[in-house]
Amino acid sequence: MQVLNAFDYKPRTRVVFGAGSIVQIGKLANELGFLRTLMVADHGLVASGHVEEALEPLKAAGIKVVPFHDFETNPDSLMVQAGADFARAENIDSIIGLGGGSSMDCAKGINFLITNGGRMADYRGYGKTRVPLLPMIGIPTTSGTGSEAQSFALISDSETHIKMACGDPGAAFRVALLDPALTVSQPRIITATAGFDALAHAVETFVTTKHNAVSDLFSREAWRLLESNYELVLDDPGNLEARGAMQLGAYYAGLAIENSMLGATHACANPLTARYGTAHGEAIAMLLPTVVRWNESAAANRYEELLLLSTADKTGQLHSATEALAQRLEELATAGGLHTRLSQAGISDSDFSALAADAAEQWTGTFNPRTFNVQGALEVYRCAY
Ligand SMILES: [Fe+2]
């Protein structure tokens, strides 16, 4: 059971949840003393009208907002550097990250550079800052990465395309504002990929070598909410109840990562994004069921617990709970219109050796319940082909 795994849990983020809660952003920013704030929001957000929705209450609260939209999905170190150069000249005292994981990670990255200088790579790892970061508010508009719950920024190195995990207690948002109404406008493919990523966070965090009593609380509840609402939110995108459940599930899964880390699925997914530009959630969907099967010898009891918490038909399934869970995950990926095999996405098996070498270098793989190395990564890619 590993209930004796040690933990050190310090909540660093105030969480405000509710449909329509975006109107509180001015008051929340005032309470934190924001006077001149950088709003980091991707281009898509501007078009959705959500930036306007956030600007109004901020302006009404007397806060000057400096917008920054000049970055892409999976922000890299050059984009963050450009954002920091821009923000430095604007003399800001705070940052708001509004959008998906890319906006929130970009906000965190800019914060590292404008307060502590240097380059993004200097902050790889944890706790590398010398002076405090600026206070930040995170407002997720997708239900996926859980970045709003984490003290890590994931920034790709612009030269090597390797995803760098840059963590610091000060990189946690002071407030996470969760308004499910903001997630209604996301395109179906984003609901599908971001939602599947969140599902994978719940599953992977539940079985890592670091999982503990606190991370288990978050993983279980995340899984329960995400598994039972994923298909619902795809079938009925305007269902605010289901949207709220997905958003909370993604948030809890983010907290689970913060307390337990991730595993082989993420280790194998990151090289696909680096090499082929595969969207993170799409890569995860093609790998998670295979990794669950591959981990069976080390995590069968844990997977059975997740299966029992799920809405899947368990009749006659408990003799092979791991396989039943893997099949349920494939069913969910298919509901999202996502590929479940690497061959369907044009990934070439001749690249597997190079991909496996990169996957084995991923920090997150070290927390996988079954020892993960180049050989293991190769097996995962082959079985997922
Ligand atoms: Fe992920």
Side-chain angles (χ1 to χ4, degrees), residues 103-114:
S103 294
M104 290 184 283
D105 284 342
C106 192
K108 291 175 189 176
I110 290 171
N111 204 347
F112 275 107
L113 298 189
I114 55 173

Side-chain angles (χ1 to χ4, degrees), residues 120-328:
M120 215 49 242
D122 299 337
Y123 301 98
R124 207 171 171 184
Y126 201 77
K128 302 284 176 68
T129 60
R130 297 172 319 290
V131 297
L133 280 79
L134 297 178
M136 291 188 289
I137 296 178
I139 311 173
T141 60
T142 63
S143 300
T145 63
S147 178
E148 69 277 11
Q150 294 164 36
S151 56
F152 278 88
L154 294 180
I155 308 291
S156 302
D157 186 299
S158 55
E159 282 162 27
T160 62
H161 304 292
I162 288 172
K163 252 189 198 185
M164 300 182 288
C166 306
D168 194 274
F173 290 107
R174 295 285 180 86
V175 174
L177 180 60
L178 308 183
D179 181 348
L182 298 180
T183 69
V184 173
S185 63
Q186 61 187 316
R188 182 187 161 90
I189 185 65
I190 301 295
T191 300
T193 50
F196 202 91
D197 185 31
L199 275 162
H201 296 163
V203 174
E204 288 224 287
T205 54
F206 197 58
V207 300
T208 68
T209 53
K210 257 182 76 106
H211 85 83
N212 56 70
V214 163
S215 69
D216 285 355
L217 282 176
F218 298 129
S219 301
R220 279 194 200 95
E221 184 61 3
W223 168 251
R224 202 185 61 76
L225 289 166
L226 296 163
E227 190 272 341
S228 61
N229 284 281
Y230 185 76
E231 288 149 317
L232 203 57
V233 88
L234 288 164
D235 289 345
D236 183 12
N239 184 331
L240 212 50
E241 190 83 21
R243 289 283 185 190
M246 288 298 291
Q247 195 178 36
L248 275 180
Y251 171 71
Y252 291 143
L255 274 174
I257 297 175
E258 185 79 358
N259 290 281
S260 167
M261 307 309 285
L262 290 161
T265 309
H266 279 74
C268 287
N270 291 343
L272 293 179
T273 302
R275 182 172 290 254
Y276 296 100
T278 315
H280 179 65
E282 285 177 22
I284 293 291
M286 294 186 281
L287 294 162
L288 180 63
T290 294
V291 168
V292 164
R293 291 183 179 107
W294 190 77
N295 278 342
E296 181 172 23
S297 59
N301 291 344
R302 304 288 293 172
Y303 290 147
E304 182 178 331
E305 193 177 338
L306 291 183
L307 181 73
L308 290 170
L309 284 170
S310 78
T311 61
D313 179 10
K314 292 124 194 154
T315 319
Q317 296 279 36
L318 291 183
H319 65 285
S320 57
T322 300
E323 177 56 29
L325 180 68
Q327 286 181 18
R328 175 63 182 144

